[in-house]
Amino acid sequence: MPDLNATSFTNPTTFILMGIPGLEHLHIWISIPFCLMYVVALMGNIVILFIIKTETVLHEPMFYFLSMLAITDLILSTTTFPKMLGVFWFNYHEINFHACLTQMFLIHAFSGVESGLLVAMALDRYVAICNPLRHSSILTNSAVVQVGIVALLRGLVLMTPHPFLVRRWPYCQTNVVPHTYCEHMAVVKLACADISINSLYSLAVIIIIVGTDVTCISMSYIQILHTVFSLPSKNARLKTLSTCGSHVCVILIFYIPALFSFLTHRFSKQIPLHTHILLANMYLLVPPMLNPIIYGVRTKQIRECVLQHFMTKINLKFWVPLFYLSLPSYYRLL
């Protein structure tokens, strides 16, 4: 295990990820639920991608956006968890300086991408419910691709200055990062310089992304609710609202932990550091784990396709050997 004491240096080649300060003796136990969440996230999102790709009935804008969300969740969780596991299980705390910057960029960029995709999915629900006759003409395949590219480019462009700003500062006191991954402000606070530009730019980006996206989502759902409650039938209202239930759950799971983590990091000094770090880890692991479960359980088309696919596999495994055993011995030898 590397020495975690502060050392005197300039422009480090490596950083030391401390893990969860104050809970080092519990790293093994903490890693167990984290590992289970990562496995569920990995398997769930891969299943979602496989089902959407193989089932032509799911080749619709909503499910294209869902596949983009699944890819984003895989990138977010895989960017952080393997290194986190190295810290927890093998006491491997070192991370290369450039690898740290890359991890930082991917985490913040694809968090922005995921927020943009949630807006796109809200737009899809708005058009499908408020203007259903024009849904296929508005959200064409090319339009879906363009929206996905815009969400990707926005996240990448807005977060590109972060690693460049971090790289230009001198680090003359310590290279020990009190975190499980290279979170932007946790790294920047180690610099021996005025980091107000980093803090202000980070705050501005969060306000732009979260403020814009939450406003767009809220406006979409205000229009959706207005349309839904104007329907004459109670059953029609409930059925229409149920189609939005999965998306609303995913929105809440993504934004509530993110905002809570951001607010406690900047404005609350009473919350212990290990509590903040645990919340930051949950923010990156819980949404990728729950998103495929929510869509798999609450979305009828996905649920039916998954059940049909796996029931077909089970039936083949049962009936093919049974059919083979029922053949005369002469045919079985061919």
Side-chain angles (χ1 to χ4, degrees):
M1 180 175 175
D3 183 11
L4 299 183
N5 292 326
T7 55
S8 201
F9 60 89
T10 304
N11 297 326
T13 57
T14 61
F15 279 118
I16 306 297
L17 294 174
M18 186 182 294
I20 304 177
L23 299 180
E24 290 87 352
H25 60 291
L26 297 176
H27 276 177
I28 294 293
W29 296 105
I30 294 171
S31 69
I32 295 174
F34 281 9
C35 188
L36 291 175
M37 285 190 285
Y38 178 67
V39 170
V40 172
L42 200 64
M43 295 178 62
N45 285 292
I46 289 174
V47 168
I48 288 289
L49 289 171
F50 174 76
I51 292 297
I52 293 175
K53 184 180 186 319
T54 55
E55 300 293 337
T56 55
V57 71
L58 299 179
H59 291 178
E60 298 177 0
M62 183 64 178
F63 300 109
Y64 289 144
F65 289 133
L66 179 56
S67 63
M68 297 178 195
L69 186 69
I71 293 171
T72 303
D73 282 338
L74 287 172
I75 293 172
L76 275 175
S77 55
T78 304
T79 298
T80 55
F81 184 76
K83 181 58 189 175
M84 193 188 307
L85 196 64
V87 173
F88 287 163
W89 285 5
F90 307 109
N91 286 328
Y92 187 69
H93 294 261
E94 291 187 3
I95 183 170
N96 181 271
F97 181 73
H98 296 290
C100 182
L101 297 184
T102 302
Q103 186 188 60
M104 177 195 306
F105 171 73
L106 290 175
I107 290 169
H108 295 290
F110 280 93
S111 294
V113 172
E114 181 153 346
S115 182
L117 291 175
L118 292 178
V119 175
M121 296 169 83
L123 173 65
D124 174 81
R125 292 298 85 200
Y126 164 74
V127 177
I129 293 172
C130 300
N131 204 348
L133 297 179
R134 296 189 59 196
H135 183 262
S136 58
S137 61
I138 294 175
L139 287 174
T140 61
N141 289 341
S142 60
V144 170
V145 171
Q146 290 172 10
V147 171
I149 291 174
V150 169
L152 176 64
L153 290 178
R154 186 190 69 160
L156 296 180
V157 170
L158 287 177
M159 297 303 172
T160 296
H162 274 133
F164 288 101
L165 289 172
V166 173
R167 187 177 180 180
R168 65 193 291 257
W169 302 130
Y171 298 86
C172 55
Q173 294 181 4
T174 180
N175 64 341
V176 179
V177 181
H179 216 293
T180 55
Y181 59 85
C182 290
E183 196 269 339
H184 174 248
M185 291 307 299
V187 174
V188 168
K189 286 179 178 179
L190 304 180
C192 303
D194 181 9
I195 61 169
S196 57
I197 185 173
N198 290 75
S199 182
L200 291 174
Y201 181 76
S202 177
L203 181 61
V205 168
I206 290 172
I207 292 174
I208 290 171
I209 291 179
V210 177
T212 303
D213 293 354
V214 170
T215 301
C216 291
I217 292 171
S218 300
M219 292 176 65
S220 297
Y221 273 95
I222 289 172
Q223 293 297 321
I224 288 171
L225 291 174
H226 181 267
T227 302
V228 168
F229 287 111
S230 64
L231 296 174
S233 170
K234 180 180 179 181
N235 289 333
R237 291 196 295 268
L238 293 175
K239 184 177 180 180
T240 306
L241 285 174
S242 68
T243 63
C244 301
S246 303
H247 187 230
V248 172
C249 291
V250 169
I251 289 171
L252 295 176
I253 289 170
F254 178 76
Y255 283 113
I256 290 177
L259 288 174
F260 191 73
S261 176
F262 169 75
L263 292 174
T264 55
H265 187 69
R266 287 182 175 271
F267 303 113
S268 179
K269 304 301 182 184
Q270 288 76 27
I271 295 180
L273 182 60
H274 63 265
T275 302
H276 168 72
I277 293 173
L278 285 171
L279 288 172
N281 284 296
M282 298 294 283
Y283 157 63
L284 292 179
L285 286 174
V286 171
M289 176 191 70
L290 291 182
N291 288 351
I293 295 175
I294 291 170
Y295 276 106
V297 172
R298 293 187 58 89
T299 306
K300 182 179 178 182
Q301 298 98 312
I302 293 179
R303 185 171 66 247
E304 290 179 348
C305 288
V306 170
L307 290 175
Q308 181 181 355
H309 180 80
F310 285 103
M311 288 303 294
T312 302
K313 293 292 185 182
I314 292 171
N315 288 338
L316 284 175
K317 288 181 180 180
F318 176 76
W319 288 111
V320 170
L322 189 63
F323 175 73
Y324 175 75
L325 292 173
S326 67
L327 291 173
S329 59
Y330 170 75
Y331 291 105
R332 278 187 272 162
L333 292 173
L334 292 179

